[in-house]
Amino acid sequence: MCMDAGTAELIPTEKEREWKGPFYFIQGADPQFGLMKAWATGDCDNGGDEWEQEIRLAEQAVQAINKLNPKPKFFVLCGDLVHAMPGRPWRKEQTEDLQRVLRTVDSDIPLVLVSGNHDVGNVPTPETIAEFQRTWGDDYFSFWVGGVLFLVLNSQFLYDASRCPALKQEHDHWLDQQLRTAGQRACRHAVVFQHIPLFLQSIGEDDDYFNLTKSVRKEMADKFVEAGIKAVFSGHYHRNAGGTYRNLDMVVSSAIGCQLGTDTHGLRVVVVTAEKIIHRYYSLDELSEKGIEDDLMDLLKEN
């Protein structure tokens, strides 16, 4: 895997910039240790002092991924790793428990972590960003796998960067550089990962806690389309949703952890072929017991 981060040095792995054929990866979102108890008690700001259910669900997710054959190229978690906001009780304990679970991911499956609002705060500061970087790694970066360019964004900069304007400026400058690379069509596909969706169903929907504001989403979506981005994968909504805008696929995946709708705890399998990106959401039970369905596996055999 070849990575280029806003704060990390480029690791030259030129072979990953070359298309070698179809592959797949696993997307998850919102393990959010502590939310199930907080949601059940109706105290999302101060609750969350138990997270045994989330530990079991995260363990089930990792076990299901480790059993897959062939192995996915990587496993990406699209934010809200834990529920406790920066500076809140239980954050250290929730973090340590999630780190323990994630250490059991097969060493041959790289782990990609995306920052969410609960990871850096609804209104991030230089201090909360620095804490995330110390704990989990860079809050934005790019990497190449098999000729495909993947961009990991910090969507809190798009939500409210009023307390860290300089960091947002650096992020935006980096993103413009990455989109120029994508726009030169030097990659087979280009894909974005971020926590907050651009939109839940359509580009013109009303502003909501779970999407970006109309002005920001339209600006970002147009930038992505012009650069040839094929898909944006996100979480945050704790339900499956999504739509398209000018051939840009906005994919909103439900949570490994707490469900706020009727979906099941699950993961998304994403198959990348020469021409398209195909994805399907699986419950943890389905993926654990049956694995990936044959029609998706057949796509991996195409040249």
Side-chain angles (χ1 to χ4, degrees), residues 155-211:
S155 57
Q156 291 313 119
F157 290 142
L158 307 175
Y159 179 80
D160 187 344
S162 59
R163 298 179 66 187
C164 54
L167 292 181
K168 173 181 167 52
Q169 187 174 17
E170 292 173 8
H171 175 273
D172 292 352
H173 176 68
W174 166 86
L175 178 58
D176 286 342
Q177 289 180 317
Q178 296 295 318
L179 292 178
R180 277 195 293 273
T181 298
Q184 293 164 359
R185 304 302 191 266
C187 49
R188 175 67 67 162
H189 304 294
V191 173
V192 167
F193 298 121
Q194 60 187 58
H195 180 61
I196 302 177
L198 298 174
F199 56 86
L200 301 175
Q201 272 98 28
S202 67
I203 193 76
E205 69 195 20
D206 291 340
D207 292 352
D208 186 273
Y209 172 78
F210 291 108
N211 60 21

Side-chain angles (χ1 to χ4, degrees), residues 245-300:
Y245 170 70
R246 295 176 58 196
N247 296 320
L248 175 69
D249 195 7
M250 179 66 248
V251 185
V252 184
S253 293
S254 196
I256 293 172
C258 186
Q259 300 298 310
L260 302 186
T262 59
D263 294 298
T264 55
H265 310 282
L267 295 164
R268 190 172 298 275
V269 174
V270 185
V271 177
V272 182
T273 73
E275 302 302 325
K276 55 189 176 180
I277 297 172
I278 304 98
H279 52 87
R280 186 173 300 162
Y281 188 83
Y282 285 84
S283 74
L284 295 182
D285 289 341
E286 287 173 328
L287 199 60
S288 299
E289 295 166 9
K290 300 178 182 178
I292 301 171
E293 291 164 296
D294 289 343
D295 63 322
L296 291 184
M297 295 299 288
D298 288 344
L299 293 173
L300 298 175

Side-chain angles (χ1 to χ4, degrees), residues 26 28 31 33 54-68 71-72 75 77 97-107 109 111 113 256 266-267 284-285 287-288:
I26 302 294
F33 282 19
E54 285 99 333
I55 290 175
R56 289 195 298 272
L57 290 164
E59 288 174 340
Q60 184 182 4
V62 169
Q63 290 163 7
I65 292 168
N66 286 347
K67 285 167 57 178
L68 294 173
K71 297 182 189 301
F75 169 35
L77 267 177
D97 280 343
L98 180 58
Q99 288 176 327
R100 176 180 55 78
V101 174
L102 294 179
R103 279 195 291 269
T104 65
V105 174
D106 189 305
S107 60
I109 303 173
L111 184 62
L113 300 176
I256 293 172
L267 295 164
L284 295 182
D285 289 341
L287 199 60
S288 299

